[in-house]
Amino acid sequence: MKIKAQISMVMNLDKCIGCHTCSITCKNVWTNREGAEYMYFNNVETKPGIGYPKRWEDQDKWQGGWELKNGKLRLRSGAKLTRMAKLFYHPNQPELDDYYEPWTYDYETLINSKRKNHQPIARPRSLITQQRMEIKWGPNWEDDLADGQSARQDVNLRNMGSDIALEFHDLFMKYLPRVCNHCLNPACVAACPSGAIYKREEDGVVLVSQDGCRGWRHCIPACPYKKVYFNWKTNKAEKCIFCFPRLENGLPTVCADTCVGRLRYMGVLLYDMDKVKEAAATPDKGQIYHSVLDIIMDPHDPEVLAAARKEGIPENWLKAAQDSPVYKLVKEWQVALPLHAEYRTLPMVWYVPPLSPITRRAEADVYLPEATDMRIPLAYLAELFGAGNTQVVARALQRLLDMRLVMRAQTTGDRLPARLEFDVETYQAMHRLMGIAKYKERFRIPAGLQETSQEKLHELQGTCGYTCPGGC
Ligand code: SF4
Ligand code: SF4
């Protein structure tokens, strides 16, 4: 058993209002500069839809993530030799049109226009060519199903054989905020010919070394979530850095901190690194989720704690793992699920799936795994969060519904269903964390990592944290 610590995030989709605050605050902090105009480390999509970049979930097109070949795990983009042959031309690169052409507006015309009969207009102007342009697509073009047509091209509908009629009376939608998943088995890291992408030893954050990146761009198609971008100005890859300078100071990421719906949770998970490959190679894709749960270790178990100390995980990290809201949602209550586990990268950003409008169902008290008339079809949610396994999603939704029934019964005095899986106190704790938790309950990030990192650097380099000739 080799225990490692991972900073992880959970998003409760029932509470996302699609306000895009997370995208904008992230953009203002990290990608508001030349070469990065089109990049959104955090973006929010409306589902069903094709998303950003267009059809990112279509791995037949992009060849992203991992696959099992003769029982062995390998990148979908091919074995090493095949990938080397694509070194100078990789056919599966997304282009600017797949994202969108970023633009600004001629604001000056609003300010400097002479007095006229009509209101002056600020026309769009390309941020790439500086020319006037017609806007045809954007990073949230499909907001609230606004595009009208692209929802039908959602890859998940194709995969489930699309027995869903997207007619007006049957329409459903939900928001899906996305960041890099800081995966346990990251395809971006494995695909980089320069070894410039790495997973940080101390907290599992996946970063691109800007010094090491040679601009081969193999990480971009390899990431099945399309969360690595190419900076056309610097010719380097860039990606979400999980706001590591904030983490190092015990603060959550900007997107989590500013989330209006207060739906994001961050904390530490302890996992067994020795079993990562085995979990990623689980033969049945619908069982990958269970394999990942098996390698997330109990932070209260003395054996796990001893193994973690042996790996040098500091005491404040172990305490944070024990108090982790993410551990509760992911492992204890098992209501948070990975996005597209079938890509086999073992994502460490988790989602509490949305419970459809539910009052009628709560009154009817139908057991969800047997329900056929959910507003958001179970089969659709299973494509996103269960690798096609509807039981996984139904079980999480059932627990959410039971939580509501328990809390409702406290006021109405209703009889509780006999099937409850947890005791009443557990449902109350679930309700507190998911409904009304304060900042410090939602984010348990151990401070002092920066000092630890600096100490490690001192150890590694013998002198100080600087790599310049002569050190200090
Ligand atoms: S989501 Fe993509 S970029 Fe992020 S760690 Fe996973 S494979 Fe790499
Ligand atoms: S800030 Fe929060 S509520 Fe708003 S879109 Fe982002 S995740 Fe959703």
Side-chain angles (χ1 to χ4, degrees), residues 73-184:
L73 205 57
R74 68 160 215 190
L75 288 172
R76 269 189 80 134
S77 50
K80 200 167 182 180
L81 269 180
T82 319
R83 286 185 278 123
M84 289 314 270
K86 296 184 202 164
L87 204 54
F88 295 100
Y89 171 66
H90 199 306
N92 309 108
Q93 294 289 350
E95 295 172 6
L96 195 60
D97 273 352
D98 293 309
Y99 298 94
Y100 75 108
E101 185 168 347
W103 70 86
T104 182
Y105 292 95
D106 280 335
Y107 292 110
E108 289 295 306
T109 58
L110 297 182
I111 300 161
N112 301 330
S113 176
K114 291 193 186 124
R115 196 182 179 96
K116 290 180 185 168
N117 287 340
H118 300 288
Q119 185 81 5
I121 294 169
R123 291 216 183 130
R125 194 174 279 280
S126 167
L127 276 171
I128 306 291
T129 63
Q130 311 305 325
Q131 303 299 312
R132 288 226 170 120
M133 64 177 275
E134 194 188 335
I135 301 170
K136 293 190 181 138
W137 192 260
N140 59 342
W141 198 254
E142 303 171 294
D143 223 15
D144 299 350
L145 302 175
D147 176 61
Q149 285 309 313
S150 56
R152 293 172 198 282
Q153 294 159 29
D154 185 316
V155 176
N156 301 293
L157 298 178
R158 181 187 71 186
N159 290 350
M160 57 187 278
S162 186
D163 55 352
I164 295 177
L166 289 174
E167 302 309 326
F168 183 70
H169 57 281
D170 287 330
L171 268 184
F172 64 93
M173 56 156 269
K174 63 182 199 60
Y175 302 111
L176 182 67
R178 299 202 302 120
V179 293
C180 163
N181 297 295
H182 299 277
C183 309
L184 292 188

Side-chain angles (χ1 to χ4, degrees), residues 53 56 59 178 181 183 223-227 339-341 343 345 347:
W56 60 269
Q59 302 313 330
R178 299 202 302 120
N181 297 295
C183 309
C223 169
Y225 301 93
K226 291 291 157 289
K227 279 294 170 189
L339 177 63
H340 288 303
Y343 299 160
T345 61

Side-chain angles (χ1 to χ4, degrees), residues 6 45 52-53 66 80 116 125 128 147 156 159 166 172 199 201 288-289 309 373 391 413 437 442:
Q6 169 78 41
E45 294 169 15
Y52 160 87
W66 301 85
K80 200 167 182 180
K116 290 180 185 168
R125 194 174 279 280
I128 306 291
D147 176 61
N156 301 293
N159 290 350
L166 289 174
F172 64 93
K199 191 163 175 66
E201 178 82 11
I288 297 172
Y289 162 66
R309 287 187 183 111
D373 60 342
Q391 292 298 314
R442 284 181 282 125

Side-chain angles (χ1 to χ4, degrees), residues 215-346:
W216 296 116
R217 300 165 68 179
H218 277 221
C219 48
I220 297 166
C223 169
Y225 301 93
K226 291 291 157 289
K227 279 294 170 189
V228 195
Y229 304 87
F230 187 68
N231 184 316
W232 59 267
K233 180 81 178 168
T234 61
N235 286 330
K236 310 265 183 189
E238 288 187 25
K239 62 180 286 303
C240 156
I241 59 171
F242 237 16
C243 296
F244 74 84
R246 289 174 59 91
L247 295 182
E248 288 171 357
N249 287 288
L251 294 169
T253 59
V254 168
C255 58
D257 200 318
T258 58
C259 172
V260 172
R262 299 185 178 187
L263 57 97
R264 300 194 187 211
Y265 302 81
M266 292 191 79
V268 177
L269 292 177
L270 300 179
Y271 68 97
D272 184 356
M273 196 179 175
D274 283 340
K275 300 232 175 84
V276 165
K277 211 171 158 193
E278 199 183 309
T282 305
D284 177 356
K285 65 175 182 161
Q287 296 303 320
I288 297 172
Y289 162 66
H290 294 292
S291 305
V292 180
L293 285 188
D294 288 345
I295 66 171
I296 294 172
M297 310 309 284
D298 179 357
H300 301 278
D301 180 339
E303 217 179 299
V304 172
L305 290 173
R309 287 187 183 111
K310 209 168 123 208
E311 289 301 318
I313 299 175
E315 289 303 318
N316 62 334
W317 276 69
L318 298 181
K319 177 77 177 76
Q322 289 173 340
D323 298 339
S324 170
V326 174
Y327 182 76
K328 289 192 178 81
L329 294 163
V330 168
K331 178 85 184 227
E332 265 182 46
W333 305 330
Q334 299 183 14
V335 290
L337 306 171
L339 177 63
H340 288 303
E342 71 276 16
Y343 299 160
R344 300 177 184 275
T345 61
L346 313 190

